[in-house]
Amino acid sequence: MTSTPPPASPASPASGSSAADEASTPEKLKQYAKARRTSLVGALFLMATSAIGPGFITQTATFTQQLGAAFAFGILISVLIDLAVQLNIWRMITLSGKRASALANDALPGSGYVLAVLIVIGGLVFNIGNIGGAGLGLNVLLGLDVKVGAVISAAIAIAIFLIKRAGIVMDRVVIVAGIAMIILTVIVAIVAQPPIGDALRQTVLPDTINFATITTIVGGTVGGYIVYSGAHKLLDSGNAGPEHIKEVNRAAVTGIVITGIMRYVLFLAILGVVASGVVLDTTLNPAADAFQAAAGEAGFRIFGAIFWLAALTSIIGAAYTSVSFLPVFSKRIAGRAADFWTVGFILFSLAIYLSIGTPPATLLVFVGGFNGLILPIGLTLFMYIGWFRPSKLGGAKYPKWLLIIGTLATLITWYMAVNAVGPIFDLLNT
């Protein structure tokens, strides 16, 4: 992705600059400020729409069917963990001015290569599910064969990366798609009339707690590549260094809050359907069943649009972020070359999806769990950097409270991963 260039320095009269040049300086600064705001919002929505993907939607439908209102507690815990994880990782990457794999290698030689391999594998698994999800979305929206829809969606994602100003286009696509997804889901949640009182109670006092569920939804929100997506986008947009830390913190928190609200609204929409006695088919497309039950044929088509937009933005996010880890192996993978690697990543994901027979819904739940298992490994590396190699973070004093909550989140994610690994891999046999 092409970076937003810095503004030209205002020229002094002594430099011999023309009056026209001086007059244009405020306009250039205004344009630069606007571009920076767009890149920050783009990073925020890239993370949020990567998290609000087809896996997120299918997981929410599946677990709401299984746990009912008790799933609200899992959402709350996932948001708290997400905040601790994202505030730390976005801050460290911004302060260092280095991508995650380069920072890890700098602090602990060799660890960046391990992290890059894990993230690329996790991103590939995610993207296979995303492409399958895009096919499901177009199947619901237009009645296309699922695999035909997957091919069309992959082609659209590739076209976005082949456009010359791909970075700007990607910002616009993910922002518009993210807003559309939120509006459409709110409409269906209102129509579904969920038992809000029971949901609020079980948000803090659940009838049951399921570690595999929480690990899966944490993995689907900040697991694998997702937590790094917005931070890497910020670096590519020129927003690195301690002077940007307040904006980065705001973007990190806002991204998680948007994701949390979207997840809760979607949960309420599906809970309203489940509470009415409708049984969702969790092997095919449970969320589509819920939207159709709530709002009839119109709801079914709305779901198709939401699901397809979610999948398309997630294909873009997974491919872009996975490839952003590859320069640790070769510095040639940058600029336009990185865009072509991204295209190859999407094509490879598509080829694998077309060759496998795993039902899309099952695959979409599994990928969140798989990336939830990867999350504590990367988080442990970053906590090591924060506690023992703070000199790698640009010399700025790092808040101890952030390290403490990050360490607690690390321990929790390890505990959940160990307890959830069996049930998560059992999904592939269902």
Side-chain angles (χ1 to χ4, degrees), residues 1-368:
M1 296 296 139
T2 52
S3 301
T4 304
S9 299
S12 65
S15 67
S17 61
S18 67
D21 286 341
E22 290 181 31
S24 69
T25 298
E27 184 60 29
K28 288 179 180 177
L29 290 171
K30 185 178 178 181
Q31 290 174 355
Y32 174 65
K34 183 179 179 181
R36 258 189 57 198
R37 281 196 302 272
T38 301
S39 67
L40 280 166
V41 175
L44 183 161
F45 270 91
L46 180 65
M47 173 268 146
T49 54
S50 291
I52 307 170
F56 153 88
I57 295 172
T58 305
Q59 291 156 20
T60 302
T62 300
F63 295 138
T64 303
Q65 170 71 50
Q66 292 175 1
L67 302 174
F71 181 54
F73 177 75
I75 295 174
L76 173 64
I77 295 301
S78 73
V79 169
L80 295 176
I81 293 173
D82 296 346
L83 280 171
V85 171
Q86 189 147 300
L87 279 171
N88 274 287
I89 289 181
W90 280 36
R91 188 185 190 93
M92 290 186 191
I93 289 175
T94 301
L95 288 175
S96 68
K98 296 177 179 178
R99 291 179 177 179
S101 49
L103 175 58
N105 258 355
D106 196 26
L108 187 65
S111 63
Y113 300 122
V114 175
L115 181 63
V117 168
L118 288 173
I119 295 302
V120 171
I121 291 172
L124 179 64
V125 173
F126 238 122
N127 226 27
I128 294 166
N130 291 336
I131 288 173
L136 279 176
L138 287 184
N139 172 261
V140 171
L141 184 63
L142 302 174
L144 295 177
D145 179 82
V146 173
K147 292 192 174 181
V148 172
V151 172
I152 292 172
S153 302
I156 292 172
I158 287 170
I160 290 172
F161 279 100
L162 291 180
I163 295 171
K164 203 167 186 180
R165 293 165 64 102
I168 296 173
V169 172
M170 187 171 78
D171 284 343
R172 299 296 190 277
V173 168
V174 297
I175 291 170
V176 172
I179 292 171
M181 286 156 54
I182 292 170
I183 292 171
L184 291 172
T185 307
V186 168
I187 292 170
V188 174
I190 293 171
V191 172
Q193 297 183 324
I196 294 176
D198 190 32
L200 291 175
R201 178 185 67 81
Q202 296 212 49
T203 300
V204 292
L205 294 171
D207 291 342
T208 183
I209 297 174
N210 187 305
F211 287 117
T213 295
I214 299 173
T215 301
T216 298
I217 60 174
V218 169
T221 309
V222 292
Y225 77 92
I226 296 174
V227 71
Y228 306 102
S229 59
H232 283 191
K233 186 71 175 66
L234 287 172
L235 291 189
D236 288 350
S237 302
N239 293 288
E243 66 273 18
H244 296 297
I245 205 64
K246 286 186 179 179
E247 298 160 300
V248 169
N249 282 343
R250 193 180 306 119
V253 171
T254 306
I256 291 297
V257 170
I258 288 173
T259 305
I261 291 173
M262 181 67 175
R263 188 179 288 278
Y264 205 84
V265 170
L266 179 64
F267 155 71
L268 288 175
I270 295 169
L271 180 63
V273 173
V274 171
S276 71
V278 174
V279 178
L280 307 179
D281 184 348
T282 57
T283 61
L284 293 175
N285 201 340
D289 289 350
F291 274 63
Q292 187 170 31
E297 188 64 20
F300 190 63
R301 302 300 175 189
I302 287 173
F303 168 79
I306 293 172
F307 208 69
W308 183 72
L309 287 171
L312 183 65
T313 52
S314 293
I315 290 169
I316 293 170
Y320 164 75
T321 309
S322 297
V323 170
S324 75
F325 276 80
L326 295 182
V328 74
F329 299 107
S330 173
K331 292 183 179 179
R332 294 181 180 180
I333 305 175
R336 200 63 179 150
D339 290 343
F340 289 121
W341 272 85
T342 304
V343 169
F345 188 88
I346 295 172
L347 288 173
F348 187 56
S349 304
L350 175 64
I352 295 177
Y353 167 71
L354 294 175
S355 68
I356 62 177
T358 305
T362 302
L363 183 63
L364 288 168
V365 176
F366 169 77
V367 296

